Amino acid sequence: MHGLGGSGPKHWQSWLHAQLAELGFDVHYPTFSDFDSPVKDVWLQELSTCFEKIPPENEIIVLTHSLGSILWLHYATTHPNQKVSQVILVAPPSPTQILPDAHTFFPVPLNQQQLESVADRTWVVISTDDPYCSIDDSTLYLKLGFPTIAFPKSGHLNTASGHGEWPWILHTCLMKKLSFT
């Protein structure tokens, strides 16, 4: 799930979609409406429609970037019957700094129990210098207790920070289970 402004053709999400589809995976990559000035309830409905298209026997891995991460947090807390195998939240924006163009997404629900009931595994990927989420603000995600990977000085983990083709995320999606020791 993309974030504010979409992901564009050179973003790692677009690249990943093509890679996974080429490998034969059933990949759903929704483009949400009005992605420059999104409305949470509209995006939630569009995400619900996307999930309805996925066969119930499919294992589901949810992969988000930026505002897409906050969208997932809202969806998970309002759709407790939607079960997924794994969630990877990449570069979630600060839950305390309201984005003016996405103000309807705030406040951000940060309920560990609800999130654990929807996904077998959830983890967070952050950067130590993300302009949309300081290290101090990222501790609010760390408090959820999910495993977290912090990339040093990697910006917002988007095209502007050099994350077009991103083999690490492809490898991560192909792994059945992440191991943190």
Side-chain angles (χ1 to χ4, degrees):
M1 292 182 278
H2 66 76
L4 186 62
S7 289
K10 296 187 181 211
H11 193 282
W12 62 263
Q13 286 184 307
S14 300
W15 172 83
L16 180 65
H17 172 261
Q19 296 294 306
L20 291 171
E22 187 176 306
L23 291 170
F25 289 94
D26 182 17
V27 183
H28 297 259
Y29 184 29
T31 300
F32 300 110
S33 61
D34 298 322
F35 54 71
D36 287 324
S37 55
V39 175
K40 178 189 73 176
D41 290 339
V42 172
W43 278 26
L44 284 171
Q45 181 55 51
E46 292 171 345
L47 183 56
S48 290
T49 300
C50 180
F51 273 112
E52 290 168 5
K53 296 175 184 175
I54 300 172
E57 67 275 5
N58 283 17
E59 177 183 10
I60 300 174
I61 297 174
V62 174
L63 181 60
T64 70
H65 180 257
S66 194
L67 188 63
S69 300
I70 292 177
L71 174 64
W72 172 254
L73 297 173
H74 282 288
Y75 188 84
T77 58
T78 58
H79 293 78
N81 295 326
Q82 177 65 59
K83 303 296 182 198
V84 301
S85 172
Q86 181 169 283
V87 176
I88 305 170
L89 305 172
V90 178
S94 168
T96 65
Q97 303 296 317
I98 296 174
L99 300 169
D101 292 333
H103 62 90
T104 61
F105 289 76
F106 295 85
V108 177
L110 295 173
N111 185 311
Q112 180 182 8
Q113 188 174 28
Q114 287 178 316
L115 296 171
E116 286 177 340
S117 72
V118 173
D120 294 335
R121 294 177 301 282
T122 299
W123 53 292
V124 182
V125 178
I126 61 171
S127 168
T128 60
D129 66 347
D130 188 333
Y132 297 100
C133 190
S134 69
I135 286 293
D136 288 342
D137 286 347
S138 68
T139 61
L140 296 171
Y141 294 111
L142 296 175
K143 288 179 180 178
L144 292 172
F146 300 125
T148 302
I149 294 177
F151 282 92
K153 298 181 180 178
S154 295
H156 192 49
L157 298 167
N158 59 4
T159 307
S161 63
H163 293 85
E165 290 187 18
W166 193 16
W168 180 87
I169 198 70
L170 174 61
H171 175 74
T172 300
C173 286
L174 296 175
M175 293 172 48
K176 282 293 183 188
K177 184 175 179 183
L178 292 176
S179 175
F180 293 90
T181 55

